[in-house]
Amino acid sequence: MGPEDLTAILRRLPSPAFNDQRVLVGTDTHDDAGVFQLTESVALVQTVDFFTPVVDDPRMFGRIAATNSLSDIYAMGATPLTALNLLATPAGVLEPEVVAEMLAGGQEAMAEAGVSVIGGHTIDDPEPKIGYAVTGTVHPDHIWRNSSARAGEYVYLTKAIGTGVIVKAIKEGVASPDVSAHAVAMMTESNRRAWAAIRTAGGPGACTDVTGFGLLGHLWEMAESSKVRVRVREAEVPILPGALSLAEKDFFPQGSRRNWEFVEPHLIGQRFFGPVAYLLADAVTSGGLLFTVPESRRQRLEESFSRHGVPLWEIGKVMEGEPGIELV
């Protein structure tokens, strides 16, 4: 499902029957998770995500699914606590050992994050799927939102893009071992250290993570909800090894094509686009944190990332103007 489909569906839903002031973050800004205030100092953060296999190794598939699900909690500035497993498998087709490996991989990633898997639900489905509903907590005054970017802030990204084209190549058996290995390493790298580095530096202006709608799709959500324009320097965006070559061969999955169709009307100025621009809309699995920081905290932020040993790329700047994305 592309971002345009999701927007159309949400517009058809009725408005809530009551206005619950305890809902601090709902669906209106398309943020990464919902936030519900419990006390003056504690808010509950909830998210859910699951998907079909992106790699052949069932244990690695489980790890990627768990890492991806945890990312939304980190993107809200929250601490993940518990998770519920979502599992779909074709009855009588997959060996129990394969399903157990999927679950074990996910539990390993959750355990490394200090998260307890306390239950879940399974269904019979023709295609395997795995994911998690994750719950965390955050102080109501310290929620990271995608709607709080301000003009003059700098835009940063913590992981390379390109998993959409690479995952398609893996599924079709044409990805080289090195290309596959780089993509898997990125997808299984938790955003926990990046989250800690941002917290140490005083937090972001705005924050989200890059997943299915691609870098441009999530940048547009940030620009629209914050009512700003975002300028992105194409050459500064990190790209996974092998992804650009696949993009040049138009090796994009349908989800990435729908992302481009959705975001193109929101691109300002440039009207002739090459493979790199298309790759910026490529659907991402378990991507990095995408956030903004004011000038006053830039040095502190970059030093924090260096101390935590986390990669960081400055890819653009937030500008005044009508919401949109400017590629330069």
Side-chain angles (χ1 to χ4, degrees):
M1 181 183 296
E4 191 168 18
D5 301 318
L6 179 59
T7 300
I9 290 170
L10 290 175
R11 285 174 179 166
R12 290 177 176 269
L13 294 179
S15 299
F18 61 93
N19 185 19
D20 191 336
Q21 297 300 316
R22 295 171 297 176
V23 177
L24 304 182
V25 179
T27 61
D28 53 324
T29 57
H30 307 292
D31 223 319
D32 296 287
V35 184
F36 184 88
Q37 186 163 358
L38 294 177
T39 69
E40 288 186 2
S41 60
V42 179
L44 200 66
V45 183
Q46 294 179 290
T47 185
V48 61
D49 205 336
F50 64 98
F51 45 71
T52 57
V54 293
V55 293
D56 294 329
D57 185 324
R59 199 178 195 94
M60 201 60 68
F61 174 35
R63 288 189 67 91
I64 292 169
T67 304
N68 178 74
S69 298
L70 288 166
S71 182
D72 285 337
I73 299 293
Y74 294 132
M76 302 299 294
T79 302
L81 298 176
T82 64
L84 297 173
N85 180 244
L86 304 171
L87 177 67
T89 61
V93 176
L94 290 183
E95 294 293 332
E97 293 81 2
V98 173
V99 178
E101 283 290 290
M102 290 164 54
L103 294 172
Q107 287 196 343
E108 284 176 355
M110 289 292 177
E112 290 166 9
V115 175
S116 298
V117 179
I118 57 176
H121 186 68
T122 61
I123 63 169
D124 178 16
D125 195 301
E127 187 169 13
K129 301 172 184 70
I130 190 171
Y132 293 86
V134 187
T135 298
T137 57
V138 68
H139 192 289
D141 295 338
H142 299 149
I143 301 167
W144 298 355
R145 306 169 188 264
N146 70 353
S147 57
S148 50
R150 298 293 177 262
E153 293 179 338
Y154 291 81
V155 182
Y156 287 88
L157 181 63
T158 67
K159 286 187 184 182
I161 64 170
T163 53
V165 292
I166 293 175
V167 165
K168 182 181 179 184
I170 291 173
K171 289 182 176 180
E172 297 189 10
V174 297
S176 71
D178 284 348
V179 167
S180 299
H182 281 293
V184 169
M186 188 281 280
M187 291 187 287
T188 54
E189 175 64 35
S190 172
N191 281 324
R192 182 180 180 87
R193 289 190 302 147
W195 162 75
I198 297 170
R199 289 181 67 181
T200 302
C207 186
T208 187
D209 66 342
V210 181
T211 51
F213 295 162
L215 176 62
L216 290 181
H218 292 287
L219 271 173
W220 165 245
E221 289 180 336
M222 184 179 288
E224 181 185 35
S225 59
S226 301
K227 298 179 173 56
V228 295
R229 178 176 299 187
V230 180
R231 177 176 295 164
V232 178
R233 300 191 306 277
E234 288 186 31
E236 303 302 322
V237 177
I239 298 172
L240 284 167
L244 182 55
S245 175
L246 291 167
E248 290 170 344
K249 298 172 184 174
D250 197 26
F251 217 76
F252 291 98
Q254 283 302 116
S256 299
R257 297 182 190 280
R258 287 195 296 268
N259 287 346
W260 178 259
E261 292 170 0
F262 171 77
V263 79
E264 185 179 13
H266 306 300
L267 301 181
I268 299 166
Q270 183 178 341
R271 279 291 164 260
F272 297 97
F273 303 101
V276 173
Y278 296 135
L279 200 54
L280 299 185
D282 190 38
V284 174
T285 299
S286 191
L289 296 183
L290 172 68
F291 63 98
T292 68
V293 172
E295 173 71 41
S296 61
R297 291 208 299 275
R298 285 184 72 197
Q299 182 175 347
R300 183 180 175 188
L301 173 92
E302 292 176 3
E303 290 173 350
S304 179
F305 267 77
S306 179
R307 287 195 304 273
H308 282 84
V310 183
L312 182 68
W313 292 268
E314 187 227 305
I315 64 169
K317 195 169 183 180
V318 182
M319 318 292 292
E320 292 183 352
E322 290 295 315
I325 303 170
E326 184 179 335
L327 298 181
V328 296

